[in-house]
Structures are given as structure tokens and as C-alpha cells.
Amino acid sequence: MKAYRIAVIPGDGIGVDTIDEAQATLDVVTRAHGGIRLEFDRFPWGCTYYLNHHEMMPSDGLSILSGYESILFGAVGYPTVPDHVSLWGLLLPLRQHFDQYINLRPVKLLDGIPGPLRDKGPADIDFVCIRENTEGEYAGVGGRAHRGMDSEVAIQTSVFTRMGVERVLRYGFELAARRPRRELVSITKSNALQFSMVFWDEVFASLQSQYPQVSCRQYHVDALAARMITAPETLDVVVGSNLFGDILTDLGGALQGSLGIPPSGNINPERKYPSLFEPVHGSAPDIAGKGIANPIAAIWAGAMMLDHLGHSDAADMLMAAVNGVTAAGSTLTPDLGGSATTHQVGEAIRHQIVGMTR
Ligand code: GGG
């Protein structure tokens, strides 16, 4: 029996509703598997915590989390706290401090979900996006001066280091090399961004000779956004900067039928630090606490965590259960046209898992 300590940060809004279902489902799948024990500790950090403590997490929060194997995260942001304060008070410091430089986001249409594209089904929408996760446009470098004056200035600087660009692109090559199609697309915008993205393209070109088995293409981010709609079946592994990856994976969520479906893994590949698994979606304050948020993204994030911990068999069992529920189509939340609650979808997935072990 392998035991892991998992830190759970439900965070804000529907993060709380959906992480409860993810945790309950992980309990059931690990019991069914028989060889894994997850020990969860919950941390009530986020915007409510901020209102009482004037910080999103305690000052020793990072050192507390460093003792855990992985982090299961819900969502961050609520109208009571400015969005840049909440994001920079919790999620972005975790990604940077724990050097989670890979943000892995599968874009896959699940069985039975009617995607928004005419004539495109699960066989056409099945690729992985790798988003650089510690620098680029979200490096947090910049400043404001002359506040309130006509001369006021705001500067937000993108930071692209050779180490940062090379390691995320290399991860893309390695992942593409392990997949049957062995195709890698790099997202650029080097016609307009003549410093950062020309550098990105140069590093991409410099790595290609080391991976002759991987076929490479690059697209400007605007062209790739269009291609995701017109020809998603031509995409296998896609790698891009922090901002490009953030934007395109929301589009990816739409391709999957709902932003309530895609998960993401914020990964430190060297395993020097804990990795963090979360739904791509945010806190959705408009539906928070109503019990109707789709729990699939959070549950899928749990499957990514099991995979990262080395238990792909348990992750596969969990995803087979999710696919079983979406294929049946009778227990879906309102974002997918159903009328089931968050808890009912979680229960249906857990029921599938139990059914597999009978
Ligand atoms: N569960 C993801 C979440 O809370 N997202 C809020 C958000 O705005 N994230 C920005 C980002 O992923 O960089």
C-alpha cells in the first residue's frame, strides 16, 4: 500500500463545491484500486480567509505545503477581493515557488458530450496543451508610476529566459515523442513580438535536431485559435507561453462542451516540489453554492494527480467512470444541458467505479 499526503485547497466559489466531489471520488477510486492511500489535509485559504486575515494564505503557507506530495486546488477569485490580489496572493505564488513550470491541459471531447463544432466528435478533438507556467507574460514584473496624473504609466514586462523557454519546449518534444502521432505545434507571434517570440522560435528550432522522430510546426497564436475551430483533428501536442496557453485552453474548454470539463496539472517534472492539480475553470461566483457546478474538471484533475503519483491504472479507472457517465448522458449538470446537481454527478461517477470492481 502506497500512502501520499495531499494538501487540499478548495479556494473560492465553485472550487469548494467541486473539490468536495473530487476528494470523495478519489477516496472511492483508491479504495477500489486497493494499493493507494491518500491522506488529505484541507486548508481554508482564499478570499474568505483574506477578509479575516488580510492575506490569501498565511505567511508560512508555502513552507506548510512543501511537506505534501501533491496539492489539489479548486479555484481562486471572488468579487470581495480584486482579482489580481487574489490570484497573486495564492495560485501564482504556488506555481512560481514550487517551480511548476509545466501546465498540462488536455483538450479532449469526452464520450457522449455534444461539442460545439458540427461534424467534429471525440476522435477529432483530442490534443494536449502545454502552457509555460512560471514566467512569460505572468512573470509578475512591472510597475505603475505617476498614479492618477496625466502622465500615469503602467508597464507589464514579459520575461522569457533561455532556461525557461528551453525546458518547456523540451517537455513538449518529450511528450510528443511518447505519443503515437509524434506531432508538436509551437505557438508563436514572432511577426509582432520581435524580441520574445523570435527568441522562442529560435529555441524551438534549435531543439528539433535532437528529436528527429517528432514532426514540428508553428503557428501564430491567432492562426492557431482559428485552427482549433476549423481543424482541431490536426493537433496533437501544442506548446505555448503562459498567456497564450491560458487563453487557448479556455477555447479548448469550449471545444470540450463546457469549461466545467477540462483539468490542469501544474507540474514540477523534477519532483523537487509538490505539483498542483486543479480544474481549468475559475470560481464562477454566479453559480457558487447553488450545487449545480460541473464537478468533472475537478475529478479529472484528481485523475491527473493519480497519474502523476505513478498510478495510471487508478487514473484510467477514474476516467473510464467519468466517460461512462458522460456517455450515458442521463446525469449531467446544466452547463451540459442536464439538470443533475454537482453531488449527483459525483455520485454517478463513484457508482460507476464501484460497478467496475464487482
Ligand atoms: N482553478 C483555476 C482558477 O482558479 N483559475 C483562476 C484564474 O484566473 N487562473 C488564471 C491562471 O490559470 O493563470
Side-chain angles (χ1 to χ4, degrees), residues 101 103 130-136 164 167-168 200 240-242:
Y101 61 89
N103 192 326
I130 301 163
R131 164 187 174 190
E132 198 290 319
N133 212 33
T134 53
E135 55 171 49
R167 67 185 184 176
V168 70
W200 176 282
S241 71
N242 215 327

Side-chain angles (χ1 to χ4, degrees), residues 74-76 87 91-92 95 105 131 138 246 278-282:
V76 61
L87 195 60
L91 185 55
L92 298 190
R95 289 176 180 165
R105 297 185 160 192
R131 164 187 174 190
Y138 294 7
D246 189 5
E278 59 173 338
V280 168
H281 66 68

Side-chain angles (χ1 to χ4, degrees), residues 85-226:
V85 173
S86 55
L87 195 60
W88 275 105
L90 188 56
L91 185 55
L92 298 190
L94 298 188
R95 289 176 180 165
Q96 291 191 342
H97 183 81
F98 294 132
D99 206 18
Q100 296 162 348
Y101 61 89
I102 299 299
N103 192 326
L104 203 55
R105 297 185 160 192
V107 180
K108 183 170 167 49
L109 187 60
L110 297 179
D111 294 342
I113 305 280
L117 301 182
R118 192 185 59 220
D119 303 332
K120 306 283 184 197
D124 304 302
I125 299 171
D126 185 4
F127 61 94
V128 179
C129 183
I130 301 163
R131 164 187 174 190
E132 198 290 319
N133 212 33
T134 53
E135 55 171 49
E137 307 86 347
Y138 294 7
V141 174
R144 286 176 68 174
H146 314 302
R147 284 182 186 249
M149 301 169 68
D150 288 346
S151 57
E152 183 161 3
V153 56
I155 296 173
Q156 188 91 37
T157 304
S158 295
V159 174
F160 288 88
T161 65
R162 181 170 291 280
M163 184 190 82
V165 173
E166 189 173 319
R167 67 185 184 176
V168 70
L169 289 172
R170 190 176 289 288
Y171 191 94
F173 279 100
E174 299 280 349
L175 179 59
R178 289 197 303 274
R179 285 168 64 95
R181 287 172 57 177
R182 297 185 188 153
E183 292 172 11
L184 180 63
V185 161
S186 168
I187 315 172
T188 185
K189 190 62 190 173
S190 48
N191 54 350
L193 303 174
Q194 75 272 50
F195 306 117
S196 58
M197 282 295 130
V198 169
F199 174 59
W200 176 282
D201 292 353
E202 284 171 10
V203 178
F204 183 55
S206 75
L207 291 173
Q208 291 181 21
S209 62
Q210 296 174 39
Y211 299 91
Q213 72 277 40
V214 175
S215 86
C216 298
R217 287 171 286 153
Q218 63 186 46
Y219 296 104
H220 290 311
V221 61
D222 39 353
L224 186 61

Side-chain angles (χ1 to χ4, degrees), residues 258-301:
S258 165
L259 209 49
I261 290 181
S264 74
N266 299 261
I267 292 168
N268 172 250
E270 292 75 25
R271 295 168 191 267
K272 187 171 168 198
Y273 303 105
S275 293
L276 180 152
F277 300 86
E278 59 173 338
V280 168
H281 66 68
S283 59
D286 54 327
I287 57 164
K290 293 188 177 164
I292 56 168
N294 192 336
I296 289 179
I299 291 171
W300 192 347

Side-chain angles (χ1 to χ4, degrees), residues 328-346:
S330 50
T331 313
L332 299 175
T333 43
D335 54 308
L336 294 172
S339 56
T341 64
T342 309
H343 184 63
Q344 285 168 339
V345 173

